[in-house]
C-alpha cells in the first residue's frame, strides 16, 4: 500500500497573520489558570508610572488586555486549526485503507478504514483541534495545550486486536478533510453532518453495511454526534452503544476562561466577538436540551479536575441523557483536558468492557 505521509495538508487559514492569531489564542487559552490579578497589577503599575500616579490609563490598559484575550479566544473557537497527521496505522502493525466520502452536505471527508475479522465496527469522531491521528502537541507551534502529544493509534490498536473494525476520519476543517461551512467551527451544530456522512458511508460498503456498530466520540465529535441524534434520529437507529469522551457546552468553556481571567462581563463580551466571526451566539451552539436525544447506551468520561471546564457541566450533560443504560467515569490524577484523550489508549479496560458488553 502506498504511504501518503509525505503529502501534508497545507494551512487553510486565509492568511499567515490569521494563523498566528489562532496560535496566539491557543497559548492564551492554555494559560487560563494563571491568576489575572498579576496582569492587572502590572498594567495598573505601568499606567500609574506613565501618568504620575494617576490610575485611569491603567484601567484602559486592563481593558485592552481583556479585549485581547476575548478576541484571541473568539478566534480560537470560531475557526478550527488544521494539524498534520503524523502517525499511521501501519506503524502499529495494522492494515488500513485510505477512504473518503461525502458529509451529509457534500463536504469531502477523509479517513481510514482499519479492517478486522469480525462483524463489529467502531466509528471514531475526534476532538477539536485534533484529527483522526490525534494532536501534535509535543511539537512547535502546537504546544498550546500542555506540550504533549495526543495519539489515538494505541486506542485503535487495542480495539483492532480485540476484533473491532474501525473507521476514523477528519471532521471538516480538520486534518485532510475539506473546508466546510465557510471554515466556521459550529461546535457540533455544523459538524453533525460529517458524523451522519460516516454512518451512511459505513452502510454503503458491502463489507461494513451489516456490521454491529458503535460510536467513540470525543469532545467536538461527541457534541456533533449528539446534535446528529437530535436532528436525524433515524440515522442512528442501528447504533448499539457510544462512548462520549469529554463532551462540553461551549458557553461553560468560555465562562471558565473569563472567570479565571476575572474579566467583567466576559461571557457577554465573548458572545459579541463570537457572533461577529461566525453568525452564531453561544446559545446557538449545542444547547443542553440536545442531550435528551441520546437514547443509546452511553459511557461518558471526563477529566474531573479539567482546568478548562467545570465538572458540573459534564454532570449535567450526563444527567440529561435519556438513555437508562449509562455510566459516568471520572478520569483522575491530572487537570489536563488533553490527557483525557490519551487515557483509554493507556487504560483500555473500561473502553473494552463497555463496547464488549453492548456490541
Amino acid at each position: 500500500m502506498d504511504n501518503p505521509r509525505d503529502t501534508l495538508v497545507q494551512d487553510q487559514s486565509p492568511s499567515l497573520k490569521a494563523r498566528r492569531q489562532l496560535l496566539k489564542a491557543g497559548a492564551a487559552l492554555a494559560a487560563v489558570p494563571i491568576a489575572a490579578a498579576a496582569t492587572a497589577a502590572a498594567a495598573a503599575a505601568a499606567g500609574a508610572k506613565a501618568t504620575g500616579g494617576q490610575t485611569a490609563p491603567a484601567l484602559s490598559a486592563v481593558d485592552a488586555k481583556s479585549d485581547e484575550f476575548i478576541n484571541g479566544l473568539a478566534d480560537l473557537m470560531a475557526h478550527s486549526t488544521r494539524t498534520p497527521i503524523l502517525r499511521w496505522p501501519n506503524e502499529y502493525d495494522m492494515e488500513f485503507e485510505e477512504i473518503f466520502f461525502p458529509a451529509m452536505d457534500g463536504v469531502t471527508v477523509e479517513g481510514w478504514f482499519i479492517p478486522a475479522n469480525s462483524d463489529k465496527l467502531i466509528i471514531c469522531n475526534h476532538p477539536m483541534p485534533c484529527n483522526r491521528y490525534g494532536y501534535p502537541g509535543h511539537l512547535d507551534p502546537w504546544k498550546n495545550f500542555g506540550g504533549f502529544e495526543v495519539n489515538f493509534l494505541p486506542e485503535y490498536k487495542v480495539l483492532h486486536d480485540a476484533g473491532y473494525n474501525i473507521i476514523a476520519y477528519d471532521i471538516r476543517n480538520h486534518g485532510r478533510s475539506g473546508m466546510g461551512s465557510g471554515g466556521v467551527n459550529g461546535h457540533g451544530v455544523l459538524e453533525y453532518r460529517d458524523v451522519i456522512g460516516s454512518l451512511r458511508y459505513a452502510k454503503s460498503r458491502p463489507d461494513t453495511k451489516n456490521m454491529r456498530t458503535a460510536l467513540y466520540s470525543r469532545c467536538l465529535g461527541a457534541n456533533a454526534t449528539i446534535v446528529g441524534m437530535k436532528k436525524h434520529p433515524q440515522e442512528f437507529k442501528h447504533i448499539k452503544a457510544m462512548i462520549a469522551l469529554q463532551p462540553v457546552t461551549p458557553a461553560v468553556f468560555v465562562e471558565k476562561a473569563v472567570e479565571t481571567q476575572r474579566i467583567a462581563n466576559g461571557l457577554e463580551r465573548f458572545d459579541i466577538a463570537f457572533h461577529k466571526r461566525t453568525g452564531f451566539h453561544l446559545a446557538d451552539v449545542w444547547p443542553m436540551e440536545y442531550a435528551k436525544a441520546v437514547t443509546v447506551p452511553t459511557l461518558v468520561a471526563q477529566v474531573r479536575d479539567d482546568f478548562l471546564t467545570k465538572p458540573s457541566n459534564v454532570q449535567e450533560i450526563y444527567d440529561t441523557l435519556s438513555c437508562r443504560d449509562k455510566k459516568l467515569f471520572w478520569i483522575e490524577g491530572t487537570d489536563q483536558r488533553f490527557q483525557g484523550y490519551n487515557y483509554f489508549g493507556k487504560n483500555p479496560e473500561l473502553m473494552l468492557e463497555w463496547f464488549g458488553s453492548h456490541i
Side-chain angles (χ1 to χ4, degrees):
M1 179 180 298
D2 293 335
N3 194 327
R5 285 174 288 172
D6 294 334
T7 305
L8 294 179
V9 172
Q10 298 299 313
D11 194 301
Q12 298 296 314
S13 55
S15 68
L16 180 60
K17 180 179 179 181
R19 185 171 186 276
R20 286 173 176 167
Q21 288 175 341
L22 285 174
L23 296 176
K24 184 177 181 181
L29 186 58
V32 160
I34 299 174
T39 301
K49 181 177 179 180
T51 59
Q54 300 299 316
T55 58
L59 293 175
S60 297
V62 171
D63 287 342
K65 194 72 175 180
S66 296
D67 284 343
E68 181 182 10
F69 183 87
I70 290 290
N71 285 317
L73 186 60
D75 285 339
L76 178 71
M77 294 186 65
H79 303 284
S80 300
T81 302
R82 288 188 186 269
T83 52
I85 299 167
L86 297 184
R87 302 187 188 277
W88 294 74
N90 60 326
E91 298 172 18
Y92 291 77
D93 297 320
M94 293 182 288
E95 294 183 0
F96 73 101
E97 174 188 345
E98 284 206 278
I99 59 175
F100 57 91
F101 52 86
M104 191 178 189
D105 58 357
V107 173
T108 299
V109 175
E110 297 197 26
W112 296 321
F113 173 61
I114 304 172
N117 187 22
S118 79
D119 66 344
K120 299 178 293 185
L121 173 67
I122 307 291
I123 298 178
C124 300
N125 306 289
H126 66 75
M128 169 192 173
C130 302
N131 57 49
R132 72 189 100 154
Y133 128 76
Y135 182 74
H138 58 307
L139 301 176
D140 289 325
W142 299 292
K143 295 180 179 179
N144 308 335
F145 295 97
F148 54 87
E149 181 181 29
V150 174
N151 182 7
F152 300 141
L153 272 299
E155 288 180 336
Y156 300 155
K157 177 63 172 174
V158 168
L159 290 169
H160 172 268
D161 289 354
Y164 295 98
N165 298 271
I166 298 166
I167 288 176
Y169 68 93
D170 302 328
I171 292 174
R172 65 185 58 209
N173 306 316
H174 293 77
R176 295 187 177 183
S177 286
M179 184 172 78
S181 310
V184 169
N185 181 8
H187 298 275
V189 298
L190 297 171
E191 295 79 4
Y192 78 89
R193 304 167 187 176
D194 306 341
V195 178
I196 291 178
S198 72
L199 297 175
R200 291 179 176 179
Y201 172 74
K203 285 290 188 181
S204 74
R205 291 180 61 113
D207 54 350
T208 60
K209 66 179 182 179
N210 294 319
M211 286 186 176
R212 293 175 288 160
T213 304
L215 302 175
Y216 182 18
S217 300
R218 317 169 186 94
C219 190
L220 171 62
N223 285 20
T225 299
I226 294 170
V227 172
M229 290 177 170
K230 168 66 175 179
K231 291 181 176 291
H232 299 279
Q234 70 280 2
E235 301 278 357
F236 296 83
K237 287 183 177 180
H238 66 295
I239 298 301
K240 301 297 185 183
M242 174 170 67
I243 292 179
L245 177 59
Q246 305 199 128
V248 63
T249 302
V252 173
F253 186 82
V254 175
E255 184 179 29
K256 179 65 178 288
V258 298
E259 283 178 358
T260 305
Q261 292 294 315
R262 300 181 184 177
I263 298 175
N265 301 317
L267 197 62
E268 294 81 1
R269 291 163 66 180
F270 175 89
D271 191 64
I272 293 171
F274 187 68
H275 184 252
K276 286 181 178 179
R277 288 160 174 78
T278 66
F280 288 125
H281 290 289
L282 277 172
D284 300 326
V285 289
W286 208 83
M288 177 62 69
E289 66 177 22
Y290 279 18
K292 296 177 182 178
V294 178
T295 59
V296 303
T298 299
L299 167 65
V300 177
Q302 170 70 40
V303 170
R304 186 190 295 272
D305 296 327
D306 178 7
F307 75 87
L308 294 176
T309 59
K310 298 180 179 181
S312 59
N313 177 229
V314 176
Q315 182 70 57
E316 184 180 5
I317 292 172
Y318 174 80
D319 291 342
T320 305
L321 302 180
S322 293
C323 52
R324 293 186 177 182
D325 185 358
K326 59 184 178 179
K327 179 180 179 68
L328 177 58
F329 176 74
W330 295 107
I331 298 170
E332 308 283 1
T334 181
D335 65 354
Q336 297 289 318
R337 180 177 185 82
F338 277 41
Q339 289 292 11
Y341 302 136
N342 283 325
Y343 182 81
F344 287 123
K346 298 176 180 178
N347 307 276
E349 295 81 11
L350 180 59
M351 175 180 69
L352 291 174
E353 177 186 344
W354 186 259
F355 284 139
S357 63
H358 290 91
I359 303 178

